[in-house]
Every structure is written in C-alpha cells, then in structure tokens.
C-alpha cells in the first residue's frame, strides 16, 4: 500500500466486533480485518481476537502499538462489549511486550485527514484523495487502522522508536509527542 525507505515498526488497531489492523511490513503498510463471524459468540470472537493480536505481534515484532481509544458514543451492551474487546487487545499487546499509545478517533482524523469530525463512512474517500491509497474492497475498519498507522508514521521517526525500544523506556516521550 504505502512505501517509504525506512518505517518504524508500528501496529495500529481500530478495535470493535470488526477490528481493523495495520502494521509496518518492510517498506509498506499491510492491513487486515478480524471480524466477528455470524454465529460466533462474543467470547469466541474475543479469544480469536486475542490470538490474532498475539500472532501478529509475534510475526511483525512492533516497537509500539497505537490503538484507537474507546468510543463512548456506543450505548448499552455495545459499550460493554467494546470495553471488553479493548481490554483483551490491550492484554494481548502487554503480554507480547508491546507498549501501547491510545488515540481518539477525533485526534487521528484531525491530524491525518485535517478534520476530526469526518464521518466513519467517509474516511476511505478522504484517504484516497489525500494519500492516493485506495481501500476499495477493504473494510472501513482497515481504512481506519491504516489512518491510525499513518498518524504514527507522521509522528515517530524510526530512530525514536528504536531508541525507546532499545532502552525499554522512553515511550512516555513518544506518547507526549504523539498527542502534542
């Protein structure tokens, strides 16, 4: 999808019952979606999501994960399910030794697309117009994860991520830079 000479290894996630993932793969970004299957219970999906995140961390070895923070616009049981899935993803990342940076949808949309209030269904179009990256045939959640990944790529240099990883600290500075 996207190419650049040297990219920090970042895993970005848009967590829901259709979780978008984007990660650095060599000189580009790859995406996929982990969606809840029709007859799959939320517990079965949560377990599959956990192992998908752990598996991706094992293969990609991200220096940092950027995760969209909870959307509190969800109501009732949806809010509870999203909170549980978010906790499971954070647990998978922590168990994999990957530091986490949280970002709200308003923050990444404003930084990457220039408007923090773009409706979810219009994100693909804005990415195509601004970056010439086409998500035709891919899920909206993959496009969101790519935009979160792009936010990290626009913010972190490979040297900053490598230094923080090598020292096993210094991520607070990256977090502050990300939100600054």
């Amino acid at each position: 999808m996207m190419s650049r000479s040297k990219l920090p290894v970042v895993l970005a996630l848009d967590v829901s019952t259709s979780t978008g993932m984007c990660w650095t793969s060599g000189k580009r970004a790859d995406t996929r979606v982990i969606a809840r299957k029709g007859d799959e219970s939320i517990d079965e999906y949560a377990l599959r999501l956990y192992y998908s995140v752990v598996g991706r961390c094992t293969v990609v070895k991200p220096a940092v994960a950027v995760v969209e923070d909870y959307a509190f616009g969800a109501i009732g049981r949806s809010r509870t399910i999203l909170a549980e899935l978010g906790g499971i993803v954070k647990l998978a990342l922590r168990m994999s030794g990957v530091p986490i940076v949280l970002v709200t949808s308003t923050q990444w949309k404003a930084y990457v697309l220039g408007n923090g209030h773009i409706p979810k269904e219009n994100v693909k179009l804005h990415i195509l117009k601004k970056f010439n990256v086409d998500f035709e045939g891919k899920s909206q959640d993959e496009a969101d994860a790519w935009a979160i990944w792009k936010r990290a790529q626009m913010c972190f240099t490979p040297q900053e991520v490598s230094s923080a990883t090598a020292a096993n600290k210094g991520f607070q500075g990256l977090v502050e830079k990300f939100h600054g």
Side-chain angles (χ1 to χ4, degrees):
M1 285 189 138
M2 179 187 167
S3 191
R4 200 166 91 182
S5 60
K6 209 171 193 188
L7 300 175
V9 181
V10 173
L11 176 64
L13 296 113
D14 175 31
V15 181
S16 70
T17 54
S18 175
T19 297
M21 296 175 86
C22 182
W23 61 92
T24 309
S25 180
K27 295 180 181 180
R28 65 173 214 257
D30 283 333
T31 64
R32 78 175 276 214
V33 68
I34 302 114
R36 187 174 173 195
K37 297 174 183 170
D39 61 345
E40 188 175 41
S41 74
I42 196 65
D43 292 338
E44 292 168 328
Y45 172 69
L47 187 61
R48 191 164 54 83
L49 180 60
Y50 175 86
Y51 284 115
S52 293
V53 172
V54 169
R56 184 59 44 205
C57 288
T58 301
V59 172
V60 175
K61 298 180 181 11
V64 64
V66 182
V67 180
E68 185 177 88
D69 208 354
Y70 300 114
F72 289 109
I75 56 170
R77 183 153 160 63
S78 295
R79 181 182 285 187
T80 303
I81 289 170
L82 290 175
E84 287 179 4
L85 295 175
I88 287 166
V89 165
K90 290 175 190 171
L91 176 65
L93 292 167
R94 293 276 186 227
M95 295 300 289
S96 299
V98 179
I100 302 165
V101 176
L102 298 176
V103 62
T104 67
S105 63
T106 304
Q107 288 171 325
W108 68 255
K109 286 176 184 177
Y111 196 88
V112 175
L113 304 174
N115 179 346
H117 301 290
I118 293 172
K120 186 172 182 84
E121 62 274 7
N122 294 341
V123 169
K124 282 183 180 182
L125 178 61
H126 280 78
I127 290 172
L128 179 61
K129 284 180 179 178
K130 187 168 182 178
F131 299 101
N132 198 32
V133 176
D134 192 355
F135 280 91
E136 185 66 35
K138 296 214 174 219
S139 79
Q140 185 59 54
D141 301 297
E142 286 175 274
D144 288 359
W146 182 88
I148 295 165
W149 175 87
K150 180 67 175 169
R151 169 66 178 103
Q153 296 302 319
M154 294 166 79
C155 183
F156 304 144
T157 67
Q159 296 77 21
E160 288 173 320
V161 173
S162 295
S163 296
T165 304
N168 199 20
K169 60 181 180 175
F171 281 98
Q172 186 57 40
L174 291 181
V175 170
E176 289 167 5
K177 181 176 181 188
F178 192 88
H179 291 294

